Amino acid sequence: MPDHPFTEATTRSSVSRRAFYPRFIGLGVGFFCVAAVFIERPATPVWAWALLIGFCYLWPFLAYWLSRRSPSPLRAERRQVLIDSLLGGFFIGAMQYNTLPSAVLLSMMAMNNCATGGAAFVLRGLLVQMVGMVLAGLLLGFGFAPRTSQMQIYASIPMLIVHPLVIGMVLYRLAMQLVRHKQALRELSRTDGLTGLFNRSYWDELFRLEFSHRQTRGGDAALALIDVDHFKNINDRYGHPLGDVVLRQVGACIARNLRVGDLSGRYGGDEFCVLLPGANGALAYEVMERLREDIARLDFDSAPQLSTSLSIGI
């Protein structure tokens, strides 16, 4: 099979890296939202602080490592986003539902869940967050202290600014990548994989457009039909791999001998076609004669005795 630019390894790396940076930055600034509440609540146990530090500054690296090692990075990332939701819900409960920090964490997790799996995944994330809140109540005691202090407001501001900006940048890069992939697929659907010229279906479409244009506005145009002489004998004598080399060389010669605006395609097998808008018969003959001479000068290292020629009808 031909090499593909998007290998499994690069896809795995891309998915893991794309998830790592929003998690690393988001949790890094999210730490201050929760820490500001913990600082003003001296009863917070040491293990809760250790869990917060590990979640915000160690978990992103562990999640990245797990995603890179997983045979299905997308499935692994979905699991890890649910873990984010579980611990996020836990810290909302641990803060006893302090209004602004809790709203900030809920917003961050909703954006992450939506980006990972759409609206249905947001609902799953909410259920997991509720489980985390219940765990916090069981371990730290149930409580409700919604009042947000001035320090806690200031501690939440970085999260309100940084996380949406990071998500926006990630979505922008994904959109640009999608545009590039669509352009690449469009080119693949238009070109012949062996010669690089237009394939028959796309060339036929261009021909019909040019023919309609000439019918309505007039003007000269020429059509050249090209056939590689004795191509079947080349395949039979030298093998199909060398036959493919001949076709690639012919395609390259056609491409470099045409004018800007001329349209060339592989019509099938060893047959090629060229549309020359604005060219009369004499000019088309001149262009095709130059092509014929270029083809006659081709040589092939694996078959020095092989010579090629073209039959051309204009």
Side-chain angles (χ1 to χ4, degrees), residues 49-279:
W49 275 102
L51 181 62
L52 176 64
I53 294 171
F55 176 51
C56 292
Y57 297 113
L58 299 179
W59 164 243
F61 295 97
L62 177 60
Y64 177 74
W65 181 79
L66 292 172
S67 179
R68 287 292 302 271
R69 290 179 60 86
S70 172
S72 177
L74 289 174
R75 191 175 299 127
E77 181 55 28
R78 283 173 172 258
R79 288 194 300 267
Q80 289 154 8
V81 169
L82 290 178
I83 294 173
D84 294 342
S85 296
L86 177 68
L87 289 171
F90 176 88
F91 287 113
I92 289 173
M95 293 187 296
Q96 296 185 346
Y97 309 96
N98 190 298
T99 302
L100 182 58
S102 297
V104 169
L105 289 184
L106 284 171
S107 174
M108 179 191 78
M109 291 183 292
M111 280 192 284
N112 292 345
N113 290 338
C114 188
T116 301
F121 203 79
V122 173
L123 294 176
R124 290 179 62 185
L126 285 172
L127 293 174
V128 174
Q129 290 161 32
M130 292 174 64
V131 173
M133 295 173 194
V134 171
L135 286 174
L138 294 173
L139 294 172
L140 299 172
F142 292 94
F144 184 68
R147 182 180 174 277
T148 302
S149 69
Q150 194 73 21
M151 184 182 75
Q152 292 160 3
I153 292 174
Y154 291 142
S156 300
I157 289 175
M159 187 65 172
L160 291 171
I161 297 173
V162 173
H163 188 258
L165 180 63
V166 171
I167 293 296
M169 290 298 296
V170 170
L171 293 178
Y172 172 77
R173 292 182 63 184
L174 284 174
M176 292 299 99
Q177 187 177 21
L178 179 61
V179 168
R180 289 193 295 269
H181 288 177
K182 289 180 68 175
Q183 290 174 342
L185 289 173
R186 188 179 298 115
E187 290 302 315
L188 287 173
S189 70
R190 293 176 175 180
T191 57
D192 172 62
L194 182 62
T195 63
L197 305 179
F198 291 134
N199 59 32
R200 177 171 178 171
S201 60
Y202 185 63
W203 187 90
D204 280 342
E205 180 182 339
L206 295 176
F207 175 78
R208 286 193 296 270
L209 290 173
E210 180 65 20
F211 187 75
S212 176
H213 176 76
R214 295 301 165 184
Q215 281 186 311
T216 55
R217 298 191 179 184
D220 289 330
L223 173 65
L225 301 179
I226 304 169
D227 185 82
V228 179
D229 293 334
H230 312 298
F231 184 72
K232 184 177 182 303
N233 292 339
I234 295 175
N235 275 337
D236 292 342
R237 182 174 179 182
Y238 300 101
H240 288 276
L242 184 58
D244 289 346
V245 172
V246 171
L247 293 177
R248 276 195 293 268
Q249 293 275 24
V250 170
C253 287
I254 292 174
R256 68 171 172 259
N257 279 283
L258 297 185
R259 309 166 306 156
V260 175
D262 291 341
L263 306 171
S264 57
R266 183 183 178 194
Y267 212 65
D270 60 326
E271 299 169 348
F272 299 85
C273 45
V274 177
L275 182 61
L276 301 98

